[in-house]
Amino acid sequence: MTKYIIVSGGVISGVGKGVIASSAGTLLKSLGLRVTAIKIDPYLNIDAGLMSPLDHGEVFVLSDGGEVDLDLGNYERFLDVELSRINNITTGKIYKEVIEHERRGDYLGKTVQVVPHITDAIQNWIERVAAMPVDESGEAPDVCIVELGGTVGDIESAPFVEAMRQFQFRVGHDNFCLIHVSLVPVVGSVGEQKTKPTQMSVRDLRGAGLSPDLIAIRSTKPLDEVVRDKISMFCHVAPEQVLAVHDVSSVYHVPVLMRDRGVIDFFRRRLSLDAINIPSDRRAAGAKHWDKWIEFTNSYVRLHDTVTIALVGKYTNLHDSYISVYKALEHASIAQSRKLEIKWIEATHLEPETLKTDPLKYHESWQSLCGAQGVLVPGGFGSRGVEGMITAAKWAREHKVPYLGICLGMQVAVIEFARNMCSMPDAFSAEIDPDTKTPVVIYMPEISKTHMGGTMRLGVRPTIFQPGTETSSVVRKLYGGKPSVNERHRHRYEIDPQYVQRFEEKGLRFVGRDESNNRMEIVELDTHPFYVGCQYHPEYLTRPLTPHPLFLGLIAAAIKKN
């Protein structure tokens, strides 16, 4: 029988449920257990694909093309598993499924209601996903972690809370464990830790029929013993069921902190984990993985030398918009014994118009760009900031600064090269200017122009390295000389193949293409130490213990430049 760990949250959103859920999974994996994860988002959208990054953070893309909440990126990175689109449940998906059943007549003329039809659909979905393999073994997971998005007490999350209330009886007491994540704020100049918000949050949870097995307390500093005892008393749990999770130097230390607090032993007792038959090879693999994790966290603490990367983007006001890019840079930096320092540059601030409207921001942004050891331009949509990105690509090319362009970042690098090296001053993207005279970036013919949701080129696609790149391609060397690689994509526009020969004659080589040989995937500049663009999103496949090759290449080139 699968074990289920539900992670709910109280007081405020963004309290850290995703990190607690991922950390719990990491601890269970260290025992040799197979772990999967589900994120429940109570919004009405079918998926996260059409949400603004400034509203909801990054849209994470899975191998099957699912556009999902950024927390699934956390799960994949921490657990080193491959999830699918159905690992992200939304209110929109549930209601769509139930309405489709009703239209087919599956409910036999009954009145369709939130209880039982919506709540049953939620429970069925969770059990269905929990049985799906997430690794190459092809076996069902032992544990499924379910993160309940939002905050307990929200109107939109009420059907999911009720479904979990019913679910605890469906699967049985020994197979259901609830972690409630709450916040203890510090109020006043004396720094007093206040428990009342947590008390109210747990009261709301109990009022909905759920009792927490663990209360994970987030706080800026270690929890005072008297505060822990107070939470224990007023929230009706034993002191050892109050888990203090204060701010630490990195999220990678949270599993270590939780293990030190006795969470593994608690799971063993609460979920009867010792009754699960775990083969010795899996136990050994779990222990080895944990040893590597400890080594990784220890190396993070010992970092002193820095590497500075300028991230020139459209959504830098919310750093979560680029969380996978940030993590990929961080993983690659740690692997090369460097502490990452990112200069967050809003692309519009590099444009001449900003010099007129806000000279201070303009000069600060250029100072950050010029002081960086490497430049990264990530993906994005729309016209805002594109000229600033083109300017950043030009600066990196001319000054031999290591450059990595991802998706839109590759496209702007090609536009810049066309304008300044190929005598094509009008070169532009049809996305930005549909009437441009020289559209070096065009709309892909197979993509729908009437429906936007889920219609991009999404998910894992192969990239084939071109003949003759075995020794000449920087990127192919980073990939270990492989003839092809599989990477995740998310785009509607592509480089127009009719201009490729002209670019290559000037030294901009398209070393990786799709199976048809007409879609450009990887570009390199011959006369530059590291000037690389890729149409895919390499950040989606980074892992703490196995950084992505392209980010390793960027960081290595940046260190070498210094």
Side-chain angles (χ1 to χ4, degrees):
M1 180 69 181
T2 304
K3 308 292 183 179
Y4 294 89
I5 296 175
I6 315 301
V7 182
S8 63
V11 184
I12 59 171
S13 60
V15 74
K17 299 186 299 295
V19 174
I20 296 293
S22 301
S23 299
T26 301
L27 293 179
L28 293 166
K29 187 169 181 177
S30 73
L31 301 178
L33 295 166
R34 292 195 175 91
V35 183
T36 187
I38 296 172
K39 173 66 187 297
I40 294 175
D41 285 304
Y43 46 67
L44 282 169
N45 305 61
I46 294 296
D47 58 32
L50 298 181
M51 289 184 176
S52 166
L54 292 174
D55 180 59
H56 202 70
E58 171 191 76
V59 176
F60 190 80
V61 177
L62 301 169
S63 291
D64 67 355
E67 297 173 286
V68 297
D69 184 85
L70 59 85
D71 278 316
L72 275 83
N74 269 331
Y75 304 156
E76 286 203 339
R77 286 188 289 270
F78 270 70
L79 304 179
D80 194 18
V81 296
E82 186 173 298
L83 305 177
S84 67
R85 68 180 72 224
I86 68 170
N87 287 76
N88 192 194
I89 303 175
T90 70
T91 298
K93 287 180 180 178
I94 294 294
Y95 274 79
K96 182 173 182 283
E97 180 182 84
V98 170
I99 289 170
E100 286 174 350
H101 281 302
E102 188 274 333
R103 289 291 83 188
R104 286 201 303 265
D106 294 345
Y107 298 120
L108 302 176
K110 294 179 180 177
T111 302
V112 180
Q113 298 174 291
V114 173
V115 180
H117 300 99
I118 295 296
T119 53
D120 282 352
I122 294 167
Q123 295 174 75
N124 294 339
W125 194 305
I126 289 172
E127 287 191 319
R128 189 163 66 246
V129 175
M132 290 179 56
V134 290
D135 57 28
E136 63 280 357
S137 70
E139 296 184 22
D142 304 299
V143 181
C144 177
I145 296 174
V146 182
E147 181 189 345
L148 179 55
T151 306
V152 170
D154 291 345
I155 293 173
E156 58 263 32
S157 62
F160 295 100
V161 174
E162 169 59 21
M164 293 303 97
R165 185 194 69 79
Q166 298 173 23
F167 194 64
Q168 63 185 324
F169 302 112
R170 180 190 283 208
V171 300
H173 181 265
D174 288 345
N175 301 312
F176 183 96
C177 177
L178 175 61
I179 303 175
H180 186 63
V181 186
S182 188
L183 176 72
V184 168
V186 176
V187 179
S189 58
V190 296
E192 183 182 2
Q193 296 177 324
K194 291 293 187 179
T195 66
K196 189 64 71 175
T198 295
Q199 294 177 43
M200 298 299 99
S201 175
V202 172
R203 184 184 67 181
D204 289 343
L205 188 66
R206 290 188 184 279
L210 289 168
S211 296
D213 296 291
L214 270 182
I215 301 176
I217 299 297
R218 292 284 294 107
S219 58
T220 55
K221 62 179 184 178
L223 203 64
D224 295 338
E225 194 73 21
V226 65
V227 174
R228 189 186 79 157
D229 291 342
K230 188 175 181 180
I231 292 171
S232 167
M233 178 185 298
F234 286 100
C235 294
H236 197 60
V237 295
E240 58 267 24
Q241 291 174 267
V242 179
L243 175 66
V245 186
H246 60 271
D247 290 351
V248 288
S249 56
S250 77
V251 294
Y252 312 114
H253 288 81
V254 176
V256 181
L257 179 65
M258 291 174 63
R259 187 183 179 109
D260 291 344
R261 297 283 193 272
V263 169
I264 285 185
D265 291 334
F266 176 81
F267 284 153
R268 273 200 171 105
R269 296 191 305 271
R270 179 63 184 79
L271 293 170
S272 304
L273 295 182
D274 291 334
I276 299 175
N277 182 26
I278 306 173
S280 57
D281 59 330
R282 276 169 51 193
R283 289 184 185 273
K288 184 178 180 181
H289 178 81
W290 181 252
D291 289 341
K292 289 182 178 179
W293 191 275
I294 292 295
E295 183 181 344
F296 175 78
T297 56
N298 288 339
S299 66
Y300 184 94
V301 176
R302 292 193 295 263
L303 297 177
H304 298 291
D305 296 331
T306 61
V307 60
T308 305
I309 302 296
L311 193 153
V312 183
K314 298 162 62 73
Y315 318 113
T316 55
N317 288 334
L318 182 66
H319 294 176
D320 270 1
S321 300
Y322 300 115
I323 188 169
S324 289
V325 172
Y326 175 81
K327 294 300 180 186
L329 288 169
E330 188 176 52
H331 300 162
S333 300
I334 295 171
Q336 297 177 74
S337 302
R338 291 295 190 278
K339 188 174 184 179
L340 176 66
E341 183 179 333
I342 286 195
K343 299 292 186 182
W344 299 91
I345 302 175
E346 186 69 24
T348 54
H349 294 167
L350 297 173
E351 297 173 0
E353 184 63 28
T354 304
L355 179 60
K356 302 174 185 175
T357 59
D358 196 334
L360 181 60
K361 282 185 178 177
Y362 178 83
H363 290 297
E364 285 178 345
S365 298
W366 270 103
Q367 185 178 24
S368 294
L369 180 64
C370 295
Q373 297 165 249
V375 177
L376 189 148
V377 178
F381 299 93
S383 61
R384 184 178 60 81
V386 168
E387 288 295 345
M389 293 178 177
I390 292 172
T391 303
K394 181 175 186 287
W395 189 89
R397 178 180 60 80
E398 291 179 341
H399 291 83
K400 306 293 185 184
V401 175
Y403 176 90
L404 176 59
I406 297 172
C407 197
L408 177 60
M410 168 178 157
Q411 295 171 6
V412 299
V414 172
I415 293 169
E416 187 280 321
F417 192 85
R419 289 180 181 180
N420 297 299
M421 299 299 292
C422 300
S423 302
M424 301 164 66
D426 297 324
F428 214 14
S429 168
E431 176 185 12
I432 313 305
D433 181 8
D435 300 320
T436 180
K437 296 177 183 178
T438 316
V440 297
V441 178
I442 58 174
Y443 203 87
M444 290 187 289
E446 73 271 26
I447 303 299
S448 171
K449 292 189 176 183
T450 58
H451 289 72
M452 297 189 72
T455 58
M456 285 189 277
R457 184 170 179 249
L458 295 164
V460 164
R461 312 278 178 148
T463 293
I464 315 299
F465 285 104
Q466 297 301 288
T469 59
E470 293 83 358
T471 58
S472 62
S473 168
V474 172
V475 173
R476 187 165 183 179
K477 290 177 183 176
L478 288 171
Y479 278 108
K482 295 178 181 178
S484 65
V485 292
N486 293 312
E487 295 280 357
R488 298 180 185 180
H489 293 68
R490 185 178 186 245
H491 65 114
R492 290 190 180 92
Y493 291 82
E494 63 177 338
I495 305 299
D496 190 339
Q498 70 170 313
Y499 296 106
V500 166
Q501 183 177 350
R502 190 168 172 182
F503 296 148
E504 293 197 321
E505 288 171 355
K506 293 290 186 177
L508 192 68
R509 293 189 302 138
F510 293 89
V511 299
R513 307 186 185 190
D514 76 339
E515 313 99 308
S516 71
N517 205 43
N518 290 321
R519 186 156 283 156
M520 304 304 119
E521 294 281 4
I522 304 172
V523 65
E524 294 180 12
L525 184 59
D526 279 342
T527 57
H528 197 285
F530 189 89
Y531 194 85
V532 171
C534 55
Q535 188 59 70
Y536 51 81
H537 288 264
E539 69 270 24
Y540 294 144
L541 293 180
T542 186
R543 300 289 187 265
L545 304 180
T546 51
H548 192 281
L550 287 188
F551 290 91
L552 286 171
L554 174 66
I555 296 299
I559 294 170
K560 187 176 181 180
K561 176 177 173 54
N562 194 44

